[in-house]
Amino acid sequence: SAVISQKPSRDICQRGTSLTIQCQVDSQVTMMFWYRQQPGQSLTLIATANQGSEATYESGFVIDKFPISRPNLTFSTLTVSNMSPEDSSIYLCSVENRGLNTEAFFGQGTRLTVV
Amino acid sequence: TQLLEQSPQFLSIQEGENLTVYCNSSSVFSSLQWYRQEPGEGPVLLVTVVTGGEVKKLKRLTFQFGDARKDSSLHITAAQPGDTGLYLCAGEGGGSEKLVFGKGTKLTVNP
């Protein structure tokens, strides 16, 4: 298992501003994942953050809007840039234990409200 | 695109009742997982099922993987208010190297 600390846990932001979410893992991991969870919706993968290389973004998500940093094997940040009310959501960071079967572990999430 | 359909989307029951939540797909998965997410928290893994027809029990929770590995169910016996939360199924495989999540079932158990 992995213990993941994510902050902030919630924030209310003005439209047009940016928010950086931090994710700290208690062990070294190769990949970290960032998800968005909108009300009533499933978890949607935004991007996969690999240490030492650029993040890999899923369809519909771009680096200019969601820049990601991965400076070492235990830490990552996701920035939500130039926010609009449509960005209001829960953002989750995750790591996976890819043993015999893949098991995901999540941070507590960041509830973002853009006004 | 692999999809996992969960039903029902919402469920509100009284303490002591039994319930079943379903997770269905047209794709075959190598494994399927169930998570529970409480308000203000991230999802927490409950169980992983791997073999077609497999049944796993976790106290009052019973998980079953379909014979064809395309569907799964979660049955809760004598539900308690502490069972309240969002239950998510997630599949591995099915033609994708990424985990695929269902939309979730929001369960409310009233005292």
Side-chain angles (χ1 to χ4, degrees):
Chain A
S1 65
V3 177
I4 302 172
S5 300
Q6 190 175 335
K7 60 181 181 182
S9 58
R10 58 175 63 229
D11 208 342
I12 301 173
C13 300
Q14 296 290 324
R15 67 179 67 199
T17 62
S18 298
L19 175 71
T20 295
I21 303 167
Q22 299 180 7
C23 182
Q24 179 77 50
V25 188
D26 69 341
S27 58
Q28 294 185 338
V29 293
T30 304
M31 292 188 290
M32 296 176 73
F33 303 88
W34 287 98
Y35 287 87
R36 183 171 69 186
Q37 186 178 28
Q38 294 180 312
Q41 300 295 318
S42 180
L43 299 180
T44 301
L45 182 62
I46 297 171
T48 303
N50 301 300
Q51 196 271 333
S53 64
E54 280 195 5
T56 304
Y57 288 83
E58 297 300 306
S59 176
F61 298 97
V62 295
I63 188 172
D64 289 346
K65 176 67 176 177
F66 297 101
I68 286 171
S69 79
R70 185 77 203 276
N72 58 53
L73 290 173
T74 64
F75 187 79
S76 178
T77 68
L78 170 76
T79 298
V80 186
S81 302
N82 189 24
M83 289 183 284
S84 66
E86 291 71 33
D87 294 319
S88 297
S89 188
I90 297 173
Y91 292 85
L92 294 154
C93 94
S94 171
V95 301
E96 292 179 356
N97 176 5
R98 293 195 167 186
L100 189 60
N101 303 298
T102 298
E103 298 177 344
F105 301 92
F106 292 87
Q108 74 267 36
T110 297
R111 181 179 291 273
L112 170 63
T113 303
V114 184
V115 296
Chain B
T1 304
Q2 298 76 31
L3 288 175
L4 279 170
E5 301 288 344
Q6 279 190 247
S7 61
Q9 189 175 355
F10 300 96
L11 189 56
S12 180
I13 61 172
Q14 293 299 122
E15 182 175 2
E17 293 183 2
N18 303 330
L19 66 114
T20 302
V21 174
Y22 300 92
C23 177
N24 297 296
S25 176
S26 59
S27 300
V28 175
F29 290 94
S30 58
S31 71
L32 200 141
Q33 301 150 27
W34 285 93
Y35 295 81
R36 179 169 65 209
Q37 184 178 20
E38 299 183 21
E41 301 292 329
V44 175
L45 179 66
L46 295 174
V47 78
T48 301
V49 285
V50 179
T51 306
E54 180 178 6
V55 176
K56 280 191 174 179
K57 292 194 173 185
L58 186 65
K59 296 183 181 179
R60 294 175 293 100
L61 278 60
T62 302
F63 305 86
Q64 185 164 5
F65 203 10
D67 291 340
R69 290 186 287 128
K70 292 182 179 181
D71 55 85
S72 181
S73 64
L74 158 60
H75 181 79
I76 301 179
T77 303
Q80 299 176 0
D83 296 325
T84 293
L86 179 69
Y87 288 81
L88 294 157
C89 66
E92 178 186 15
S96 172
E97 61 181 18
K98 301 180 179 69
L99 281 178
V100 176
F101 284 87
K103 282 192 175 184
T105 294
K106 188 170 183 180
L107 171 65
T108 303
V109 182
N110 302 299

